[in-house]
Amino acid sequence: VQLQQSGPGLVKPSQTLSLTCAISGDTVSSIDSTWNWIRWSPSRGLEWLGRTYYRTTWSYDYAGFLKSRITIKSDTSRNQFSLQLVSVTPEDTAVYYCARDYPFPGWLDPWGQGILVTVSS
Amino acid sequence: SYVLTQPPSVSVAPGQTARITCGGDNIGSNSVHWYQQKSGQAPVLVVYDNTDRSPGIPERFSGSNSGNTATLTISRAEAGDEADYYCQVWDTLSDPLCVFGTGTKVTV
C-alpha cells in the first residue's frame, strides 16, 4: 500500500487548505481500513485531525478542536480522500500527513510523504 | 481528553539500551503503537499492539505495556536509531479518538 499526497504548500490566512491523498494497493472503500489525516509541528508534535471510512455507509470523525473547520471527503472513482481546513491561521502551519489505519482499529501504516503547509500572506 | 506523557528526551550510548516510556491512565488496557520519526521524514510504524514489531524493524526494538506505563526498548542502540518516537492509542471515549504521546527525542 502506498499513499501519495498532493496540494499547495502555501495558503493565505483566512483561506482554505486543501490536500489530497491518493491510494494504491488498497481501496478507500475497504471495510477493514480507515483513512486518516494527521499533522506535525515542532510545538505540538503529532496531532490527529480526522478520518473517513466505509462500512455500510460513509462515516467521518473529526478532532473536536477542529470540528467546525474541517471536512474530509472520499472519492471512490479516483481512489483517494481529501482534507479541507477553512479559515486557516498561522497556527495551522504544519506538515500534513495522510495515513491508513488497518486493521480497524489498528495502527497507522503506511503514511504519506507529508506536505509542509505554511499559512502566510 | 486522554493524555499520553513521554519524556522529552532520552540519551543513550552506542551499544547500550534506551527505554522510552509512555504514561497514561490505565494504558495497559489499550493497544499501544509506536512510531519512529527521523528528521524531515514521515513517521514509520515500529511496534504495534504493544509488543509486535513491524516488518523490517530490527529485533533490537521491543515493546511492553502494563498498568499506567507502556515502554519501547531499544537494545544495542545504533546511531541510526536517533529520531523522535511517539506512542499512540485509539480511545473511543476520548476527543480526539486517536491520541499521540508528547514525543521523545532519542540521542545516541
Side-chain angles (χ1 to χ4, degrees):
Chain A
V1 177
Q2 291 187 325
L3 304 178
Q4 181 66 40
Q5 298 176 229
S6 59
L10 181 63
V11 181
K12 288 182 167 52
S14 80
Q15 295 194 344
T16 298
L17 180 160
S18 296
L19 297 174
T20 298
C21 183
I23 303 163
S24 58
D26 198 352
T27 62
V28 70
S29 55
S30 166
I31 62 172
D32 297 317
S33 304
T34 73
W35 304 96
N36 297 259
W37 287 100
I38 298 124
R39 69 184 182 185
W40 176 87
S41 63
S43 58
R44 295 190 299 269
L46 292 171
E47 290 182 299
W48 180 81
L49 306 180
R51 68 181 178 186
T52 182
Y53 59 97
Y54 181 80
R55 297 298 179 257
T56 55
T57 61
W58 286 101
S59 295
Y60 307 89
D61 296 307
Y62 301 126
F65 73 97
L66 287 174
K67 199 161 282 187
S68 62
R69 298 198 293 131
I70 186 173
T71 302
I72 294 175
K73 294 181 179 179
S74 54
D75 184 341
T76 56
S77 64
R78 298 183 179 184
N79 201 30
Q80 62 186 32
F81 62 110
S82 63
L83 168 71
Q84 284 193 328
L85 190 63
V86 303
S87 305
V88 296
T89 72
E91 290 291 301
D92 294 310
T93 294
V95 180
Y96 286 76
Y97 296 100
C98 58
R100 181 184 73 161
D101 159 39
Y102 172 88
F104 172 77
W107 43 92
L108 295 162
D109 181 62
W111 296 57
Q113 82 276 19
I115 292 180
L116 172 61
V117 178
T118 301
V119 179
S120 175
S121 54
Chain B
S1 63
Y2 191 62
V3 177
L4 296 176
T5 303
Q6 300 180 234
S9 62
V10 167
S11 184
V12 60
Q16 299 303 302
T17 298
R19 294 180 179 83
I20 306 159
T21 58
C22 175
D25 185 33
N26 197 28
I27 194 174
S29 65
N30 292 90
S31 286
V32 179
H33 317 300
W34 290 92
Y35 304 88
Q36 175 193 70
Q37 186 180 29
K38 295 184 177 180
S39 180
Q41 298 183 20
V44 171
L45 178 70
V46 176
V47 166
Y48 64 95
D49 279 353
N50 303 317
T51 60
D52 295 336
R53 268 185 312 278
S54 184
I57 298 300
E59 291 184 7
R60 301 183 296 101
F61 289 81
S62 62
S64 63
N65 184 19
S66 178
N68 293 317
T69 305
T71 303
L72 177 69
T73 301
I74 308 174
S75 304
R76 301 181 301 283
E78 302 177 356
D81 299 333
E82 277 206 354
D84 293 327
Y85 291 82
Y86 294 88
C87 55
Q88 177 254 319
V89 302
W90 291 97
D91 186 346
T92 57
L93 300 179
S94 174
D95 178 13
L97 296 172
C98 174
V99 182
F100 289 98
T102 49
T104 299
K105 170 66 177 176
V106 171
T107 301
V108 181

